[in-house]
């Protein structure tokens, strides 16, 4: 049997910061601005905030509950709680989603490492908007350099899991998030002094309701899942380490507030700068990489601010990749030692071997993503898109909502039917709160996800 997780985080605040550190990452700073920019700014923001309230909170609670009650990772949690293997597909889906996300997430983390090195050597000084755009083009035009920079964070993440230094990471998260927030507030302050910054603020905060289309709703839902790490088992791991008396409701709200704050701050930095420097808000995945160096360029202590920010961004990305890789490693490690696995005796994969196997798979997928994205292997496409874009879209808009739907049905319908209530007796949850939670989880969340799915398949014709 999988080992019961009894070690708790050293403090309740430590767990909140670790979970928030896992959730806050490139999703908030890289993806949120570019998706918001492509989907109408203010219109996207309002739908995103609605999604966070409607899906984010109940699903975060649900995943924490699953972990806290079962004391298992995403691999063993569903069978431990249900007593059968009918829900094991959710564990498989979690592991596959982690692999798919990692394949492009490490590429973007590689860009961050590359930009960190370039900030160190002051490469961006004096570059204008056109030069910065060209520069990013040159970075992604070199597949070898991109692959090398992407493999660096893979090795770093694997080392953390290999040497089991998660405690150190917990300590790192404690200073990382406050420092990141402080740095972003300073950057926002300096951006707002720019001439023309009000155009960007209007773009980001003014809602043009006519721009809220079904595709904006799908993107906002996907971004909400991605940013909060919902629907792929990463949060189950944190739940498994929660001390018994941890207030799950308060923890979830704190994680959501921190995550959303970082995303909104990223928007407040990027959009005014986009308009002030003459970029387009719909630049796509390169958006923050072309805009941020321009922001530092007009700050005092430009070199220092650039280096510090890219260092913080790299650490934020690594805390997220650790929680991603942990899902896949725990799955492979525990699956290979299952009593019902025929190979259990012959090939027991211990944790170290699982780390190696997952890292090897991820390296191959990263290379495929880069070669497809840079057009070196034009034949390597999925649904007509290059692998990078396809995986980005597939994970947020299909796999994570599907995982979340499964977990909502599991905790909302199946477990109560089996007489198990993983949320009962949790402190921080009054009776009225439980009723509202169950109502939302049983009806609102599944119906909303199914409707958004059907519509994006073109079956509703809206
Ligand atoms: N939430 C992370 C981010 O915003 C990405 C992530 C997704 C991490 C799923 C873990 C699991 O960058």
């Amino acid at each position: 049997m999988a080992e019961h997780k009894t070690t708790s985080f050293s403090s309740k605040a430590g767990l909140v910061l670790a979970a928030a550190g896992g959730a806050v990452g490139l999703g908030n700073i890289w993806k949120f601005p570019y998706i918001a920019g492509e989907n109408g700014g203010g219109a996207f923001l309002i739908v995103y905030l609605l999604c966070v309230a409607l899906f984010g909170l109940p699903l975060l609670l649900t995943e924490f509950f699953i972990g806290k009650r079962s004391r298992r990772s995403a691999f063993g949690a569903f069978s431990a709680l249900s007593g059968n293997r009918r829900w094991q597909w959710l564990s498989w889906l979690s592991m596959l989603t982690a692999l798919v996300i990692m394949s492009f997430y490490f590429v973007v983390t590689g860009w961050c490492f590359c930009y960190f090195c370039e900030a160190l050597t002051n490469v961006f000084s004096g570059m204008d908007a056109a030069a910065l755009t060209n520069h990013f083009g040159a970075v992604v035009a070199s597949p070898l350099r991109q692959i090398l920079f992407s493999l660096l964070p893979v090795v770093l993440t694997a080392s953390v899991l290999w040497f089991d230094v998660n405690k150190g990471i917990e300590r790192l998260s404690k200073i990382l998030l406050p420092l990141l927030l402080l740095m972003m507030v300073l950057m926002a302050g300096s951006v707002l002094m720019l001439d023309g910054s009000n155009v960007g603020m209007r773009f980001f905060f003014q809602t043009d309701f006519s721009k809220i289309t079904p595709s904006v709703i799908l993107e906002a839902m996907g971004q909400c899942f991605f940013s909060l790490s919902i629907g792929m088992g990463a949060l189950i791991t944190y739940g498994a380490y929660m001390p018994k008396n941890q207030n799950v409701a308060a923890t979830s709200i704190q994680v959501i507030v921190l995550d959303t704050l970082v995303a909104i701050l990223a928007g407040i930095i990027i959009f005014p700068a986009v308009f002030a420097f003459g970029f387009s808000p719909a630049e796509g995945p390169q958006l923050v990489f072309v805009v941020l160096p321009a922001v530092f360029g007009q700050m005092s202590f430009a070199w220092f601010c650039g280096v510090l920010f890219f260092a913080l961004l790299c650490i934020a990305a690594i805390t997220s990749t650790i929680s991603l890789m942990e899902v896949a490693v725990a799955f492979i490690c525990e699956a290979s030692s299952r009593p019902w696995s025929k190979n259990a005796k012959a090939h027991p994969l211990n944790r170290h071997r699982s780390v190696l196997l997952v890292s090897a798979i991820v390296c191959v997928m990263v290379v495929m993503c880069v070669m497809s994205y840079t057009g070196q292997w034009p034949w390597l496409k999925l649904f007509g898109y290059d692998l990078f874009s396809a995986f980005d879209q597939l994970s947020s808009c299909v796999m994570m909502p599907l995982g979340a739907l499964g977990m909502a049905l599991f905790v909302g319908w199946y477990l109560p039917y089996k007489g198990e209530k993983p949320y009962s007796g949790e402190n921080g949850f009054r009776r009225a709160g439980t009723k509202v939670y169950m109502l939302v989880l049983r009806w609102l969340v599944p119906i909303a996800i199914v409707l958004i799915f059907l519509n994006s398949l073109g079956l509703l014709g809206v």
Side-chain angles (χ1 to χ4, degrees), residues 314-452:
C314 290
I315 303 174
I318 291 288
T319 52
S320 294
T321 53
I322 291 169
S323 80
L324 275 165
M325 198 183 265
E326 172 63 34
V327 172
V329 167
F331 181 97
I332 290 185
C333 186
E334 291 175 29
S336 70
S337 56
R338 296 287 78 198
W340 54 80
S341 157
K342 285 197 194 92
N343 291 334
K345 287 262 149 42
H347 306 288
L349 274 179
N350 61 21
R351 209 174 144 83
H352 283 170
R353 286 188 201 171
S354 308
V355 171
L356 284 184
L357 180 62
V358 171
S359 309
I361 297 173
V362 168
C363 286
V364 172
M365 293 182 74
V366 162
V367 171
M368 290 187 349
C369 259
V370 171
M371 296 310 265
S372 169
Y373 181 67
T374 53
Q376 300 289 321
W377 291 350
W379 45 267
L380 192 55
K381 288 207 180 329
L382 197 64
F383 312 122
Y385 294 95
D386 66 83
L387 278 198
F388 180 99
S389 321
F391 284 168
D392 182 0
Q393 198 69 8
L394 185 70
S395 53
S396 296
C397 295
V398 181
M399 298 177 90
M400 298 174 97
L402 204 61
L405 176 65
M407 292 187 211
L409 296 177
F410 181 69
V411 172
W413 293 98
Y414 187 74
L415 288 184
Y417 157 77
K418 298 271 291 181
E420 168 80 45
K421 289 190 182 125
Y423 46 86
S424 61
E426 304 294 344
N427 56 54
F429 235 58
R430 310 212 192 301
R431 193 179 296 162
T434 312
K435 276 214 176 105
V436 175
Y437 164 71
M438 280 313 272
L439 218 64
V440 171
L441 194 68
R442 290 182 131 190
W443 298 103
L444 214 59
V445 171
I447 291 176
I449 295 181
V450 169
L451 283 182
I452 295 174

Side-chain angles (χ1 to χ4, degrees), residues 20-31 97-98 101 105 223-235 238 259 316-317 319-325 327 400:
V24 170
L26 299 177
N28 311 59
I29 297 168
W30 160 71
K31 196 165 172 189
T97 311
I101 296 177
Y105 204 95
Q223 174 59 21
C224 163
F225 288 127
F226 187 78
S227 185
L228 290 169
S229 315
I230 287 172
M232 47 75 64
L235 300 165
Y238 293 104
D259 191 84
T319 52
S320 294
T321 53
I322 291 169
S323 80
L324 275 165
M325 198 183 265
V327 172
M400 298 174 97

Side-chain angles (χ1 to χ4, degrees), residues 283-301:
E283 298 262 353
Q286 62 173 345
L287 181 67
V288 298
F289 290 96
V290 295
V291 175
L292 282 177
V295 171
F296 299 124
Q298 51 81 49
M299 284 176 84
S300 21
F301 308 111

